[in-house]
Amino acid sequence: MAKQRDIWLVANEGSGSVREELLEALHDTCASSDLCIAHRADFPGDPIPTAQELDRAGVDTLVTLGGDGTINAVVSALAGWGGAILPLPGGTQNLLTHRLHGEARVEDVIKAFAGGKANKVRPKIIRSSQGIALAGLMVGPGTSWNDVREAMRAGDPAQMLRATGAAIEGTTGRPPVRIAVPPEGQREGYPIIELVPHAKGMDAAAYHARTGADFVAQTWALMRQEFREGPHDTLGPFDRLEMESTGGEPLDLLLDGEPADATPRETFSLEQCPVDLIATMPGGG
């Protein structure tokens, strides 16, 4: 009989697709694949285990079940650890796990890992003064449109209306953001710029709202929960860039969907992930 391999699970039951049925399927798949969930932390209520705790427990693989924000928190906490992190798709967008596993389900990822069909990778990420972004980051007053999307996912019409009003006000009434170095894109700026890392650099999607039709297009994209289909300019790729508020205000920033305080001018650079991640898709990462 094969010896069981211990793993440490960090699960976020508040993430988009994490339900009791998914957790049960994960436990059943691990049990049938000779993987033992020896330890579990429920994020964000429980602390993320430290590298020292993982090493003392003899665990060399930490598994995350949650969205991009959960994975970001774990990777940030374990930067420099000698083990590896296996992110499972448990959020709504799952942008990072798509890079690592394609469209594979949680059960398929676990089976591939347990069967030796996985590789350790160090994908490119984005570094800022406020932290890292593995899936991507957004900058500008238009980041408030993210609140509209979250309200729609929660099925809260009243909150969606309030968030939509705040998003329109922020998009039209606050100074936009622009790429200062190198000076690319429109100099009057954009309500929101999204940066997405990949092997060859950072791509920038600069979303605009130049006309009433743009607002309609953006709202329609949100109603279909496809924020990234809104009207935008595509710029890059970049290895490094600086963004600034055209009005000297602190920048609104989302790192993997989580808000962060920022200065009126920020630098973003392409780096390697500070800890090994596990990919099950050939060429993943």
Side-chain angles (χ1 to χ4, degrees):
M1 182 175 177
K3 181 182 178 181
Q4 283 197 326
R5 179 176 179 180
D6 288 349
I7 59 175
W8 196 309
L9 174 65
V10 174
N12 184 351
E13 294 194 48
S15 289
S17 61
V18 178
R19 301 289 185 271
E20 191 60 38
E21 310 88 76
L22 182 59
L23 286 165
E24 289 178 2
L26 171 60
H27 280 263
D28 290 345
T29 306
C30 285
S32 63
S33 302
D34 294 319
L35 297 175
C36 174
I37 302 176
H39 305 272
R40 173 174 166 176
D42 293 320
F43 183 83
D46 296 335
I48 296 168
T50 65
Q52 292 76 18
E53 288 173 327
L54 290 161
D55 291 342
R56 281 198 299 269
V59 172
D60 62 6
T61 302
L62 182 144
V63 176
T64 67
L65 182 64
D68 293 316
T70 301
I71 302 168
N72 184 310
V74 171
V75 169
S76 297
L78 290 175
W81 178 45
I85 297 170
L86 172 60
L88 299 176
T92 304
Q93 293 291 319
N94 297 313
L95 298 178
L96 179 66
T97 56
H98 285 163
R99 290 174 64 187
L100 301 173
H101 314 303
E103 299 292 335
R105 302 176 306 153
V106 165
E107 298 94 321
D108 297 331
V109 173
I110 287 293
K111 289 176 182 177
F113 167 66
K117 298 177 181 178
N119 297 299
K120 293 181 180 179
V121 296
R122 293 276 183 123
K124 296 293 185 180
I125 64 166
I126 301 172
R127 170 76 63 182
S128 77
S129 68
Q130 307 305 314
I132 61 173
L134 294 92
L137 61 85
M138 297 181 180
V139 187
T143 54
S144 52
W145 283 104
N146 196 58
D147 296 333
V148 182
R149 185 175 59 181
E150 293 303 318
M152 291 187 68
R153 289 175 184 162
D156 188 337
Q159 178 59 27
M160 186 184 73
L161 288 174
R162 289 192 295 270
T164 299
I168 293 174
E169 181 181 355
T171 301
T172 59
R174 295 187 55 210
V177 61
R178 66 185 169 208
I179 299 176
V181 180
E184 293 204 18
Q186 61 185 33
R187 305 323 298 149
E188 59 269 32
Y190 301 87
I192 182 170
I193 298 177
E194 180 183 31
L195 296 180
V196 177
H198 55 83
K200 296 182 180 179
M202 297 178 283
D203 286 338
Y207 295 87
H208 54 74
R210 301 186 182 107
T211 67
D214 286 346
F215 279 114
V216 173
Q218 184 64 78
T219 303
W220 174 239
L222 283 161
M223 289 179 68
R224 290 178 295 112
Q225 298 191 31
E226 293 293 346
F227 177 86
R228 290 164 180 84
E229 289 186 6
H232 64 277
D233 300 332
T234 301
L235 307 169
F238 306 94
D239 289 328
R240 182 182 181 279
L241 58 81
E242 295 178 28
M243 289 195 213
E244 65 181 3
S245 165
T246 58
E249 293 187 359
L251 295 172
D252 296 287
L253 184 62
L254 291 174
L255 299 172
D256 289 330
E258 299 298 323
D261 296 326
T263 61
R265 188 176 178 118
E266 288 283 341
T267 299
F268 305 96
S269 57
L270 193 71
E271 293 187 6
Q272 278 193 317
C273 184
V275 64
D276 286 338
L277 302 186
I278 296 174
T280 58
M281 182 176 67

